[in-house]
Amino acid sequence: MDFTFTEEQQAATEAARAVFSGVAPDGVPSPALVPGAVAEDIDRPLWAGLASSDLLSLTLLPEHGGAGLDLVALCLVLRESAKVLARVPLLETCAAAMALQRYGDPRLAAELLPRTGRGELVLTVGANGRSGHDPAELAVTARQEATSSTVRTDEVPGDAIGDVTGWVLDGVQSAVPWAQAADWIVIPAHTDEGRAVVALIQPSQDGVTLAEQVSTSGERFAEVRLKSVRIDDRALIDSAGAWEWLRALLTTGTCALALGLGEAVLAMTSQYTGKREQFGFPVATFQSVAVQAADRYIDLRAMEVTLWQAAWRISTGADGMLPAEGDIAVAKIWASDGVRRVVQTAQHLHGGFGADTDYPLHRFHAWAKQIELSLGPAAAHEEALGDLLAAHPLG
């Protein structure tokens, strides 16, 4: 088997490194020193840089102005973004755009996706449900209704007169990343028949309320409350498997973020222990330090191989002994447990210096905790993996 990345994927990595090279992880106040969010908005200059480098359109099809690359390429870019704690909804925007491109109304896709690739629109996804523990689609109800009206908006082209099928949304999605900065929010919901659907709403719509929340990493999140929010039929994706596919993209992308963050932290730890001396020798030469660092390196390699396995299964639709959900669960188990162990060991090997707010390690620790729990902690995915094994015996 050939695990080498394609030329296009390698080019995406190089472009990402160039864009992120000028980003400082401590470019905003420390989350340990401010009572609320570290900033009111996302990193707009970085967002513009990603757009000008064609990284926001990386996975869009050529007809939407994109390069037509796959999830593996996106994960390579996400990996680089996490190394500098990039404060942009790159994962959420790209995953939402990929779902709209694959399952959404073609007219809406033609209107929104080119603008998204140019950085003119910011998308985010509410994937945590009401509490983060229950399936996200159960937190919002979507009921269909017919009205007699004329439908015409600037965002959704075209008009229709007469009986128009629409949807009404009610419920709550908690911890929606950077919702205040988003132009569109993708919300999973369930119908009266129990089907999972995906709705696209705008924060400015009647019935949409954003309640301020702050993530563990100090970023501005929101609880999105929906009360009789009406959307056009074209703004709801009712295709079977659409939400499950979008959630798979988000989960796998979160694993890429964990890997990039962990690699940056291990490199930071290596540099510090190579310079810090005790008894006249660098502490990196002590066996106890070297063994702990080696264990964390093994964690990172396991995180990497399980990430690419999951991304490859999603991108190619390849068969396996288990459905692709099994590979995604394994990747998230390693990502959640691995990134936690990497930052904990880094704090230990840095001593008190790791808690210094003038040193960036504590920021990586806060981001690692956010990533560890996003889209479910390791225990939740272990339970899902157990259910899959029970349903698909490996005999």
Side-chain angles (χ1 to χ4, degrees):
M1 298 180 67
D2 184 3
F3 293 99
T4 305
F5 295 115
T6 66
E7 291 184 5
E8 292 82 2
Q9 291 165 346
Q10 292 175 16
T13 303
E14 293 171 3
R17 287 173 179 165
V19 173
F20 294 125
S21 62
V23 178
D26 51 1
V28 292
S30 165
L33 300 178
V34 293
V38 296
E40 289 295 307
D41 199 5
I42 63 174
D43 188 339
R44 291 288 177 176
L46 176 58
W47 193 248
L50 290 168
S52 63
S53 299
D54 296 327
L55 291 174
L56 295 182
S57 60
L58 194 69
T59 57
L60 298 181
L61 295 174
E63 55 260 39
H64 299 309
L69 299 187
D70 59 7
L71 178 60
V72 174
L74 175 60
C75 286
L76 286 167
V77 176
L78 290 169
R79 179 188 192 178
E80 298 302 319
S81 76
K83 294 178 181 179
V84 296
L85 306 183
R87 300 182 48 261
V88 287
L90 178 60
L91 169 58
E92 293 80 9
T93 292
C94 291
M98 291 171 71
L100 176 59
Q101 177 174 259
R102 180 176 176 129
Y103 293 103
D105 181 89
R107 293 169 295 174
L108 184 60
E111 172 66 22
L112 300 185
L113 294 184
R115 297 181 60 194
T116 301
R118 295 193 297 266
E120 298 170 7
L121 296 178
V122 174
L123 312 181
T124 190
V125 184
N128 291 299
R130 185 177 293 271
S131 65
H133 299 289
D134 298 321
E137 66 273 19
L138 299 184
V140 176
T141 60
R143 70 179 188 276
Q144 203 168 20
E145 68 172 18
T147 60
S148 180
S149 62
T150 299
V151 175
R152 185 168 186 172
T153 71
D154 294 333
E155 297 292 348
V156 184
D159 54 356
I161 300 176
D163 290 335
V164 178
T165 303
W167 294 81
V168 180
L169 307 175
D170 288 282
V172 174
Q173 286 287 347
S174 185
V176 180
W178 292 292
Q180 296 86 345
D183 299 286
W184 289 84
I185 303 174
V186 176
I187 298 288
H190 68 281
T191 66
D192 293 338
E193 298 81 16
R195 298 194 319 276
V197 296
V198 178
L200 283 80
I201 66 169
Q202 294 177 281
S204 59
Q205 284 183 239
D206 291 340
V208 179
T209 304
L210 304 184
E212 193 80 9
Q213 292 182 318
V214 179
S215 70
T216 302
S217 56
E219 296 302 326
R220 197 178 183 200
F221 283 19
E223 181 180 80
V224 179
R225 301 170 182 169
L226 310 175
K227 185 176 182 181
S228 299
V229 177
R230 286 173 166 77
I231 62 172
D232 185 84
D233 193 47
R234 292 170 292 179
L236 186 130
I237 301 173
D238 196 12
S239 302
W243 166 239
E244 290 77 10
W245 192 75
L246 174 54
R247 184 174 56 197
L249 296 182
L250 294 169
T251 305
T252 306
T254 301
C255 296
L257 295 174
L259 175 61
L261 187 150
E263 289 175 331
V265 168
L266 189 62
M268 192 185 308
T269 305
S270 175
Q271 293 173 3
Y272 177 79
T273 56
K275 295 177 180 178
R276 177 76 169 90
E277 292 189 357
Q278 285 282 9
F279 312 112
F281 296 94
V283 297
T285 62
F286 299 167
Q287 185 179 30
S288 61
V289 172
V291 167
Q292 291 182 69
D295 285 343
R296 301 296 77 81
Y297 176 81
I298 293 172
D299 277 336
L300 289 174
R301 297 290 68 79
M303 291 164 64
E304 183 176 15
V305 70
T306 54
L307 163 65
W308 300 133
Q309 172 72 6
W312 174 74
R313 286 289 304 276
I314 295 172
S315 298
T316 63
D319 292 330
M321 298 185 71
L322 287 177
E325 290 81 3
D327 294 289
I328 296 167
V330 171
K332 190 57 167 67
I333 292 166
W334 273 105
S336 292
D337 282 344
V339 77
R340 184 187 69 252
R341 288 192 292 258
V342 168
V343 293
Q344 286 178 343
T345 297
Q347 289 283 12
H348 175 64
L349 296 182
H350 274 82
F353 196 52
D356 189 340
T357 55
D358 291 328
Y359 187 69
L361 181 58
H362 75 287
R363 297 174 184 268
F364 284 88
H365 201 153
W367 277 69
K369 180 55 66 174
Q370 181 70 38
I371 290 172
E372 175 193 348
L373 301 179
S374 295
L375 279 302
H381 290 275
E382 288 168 353
E383 182 177 351
L385 181 60
D387 291 340
L388 283 170
L389 289 169
H392 302 82
L394 301 180

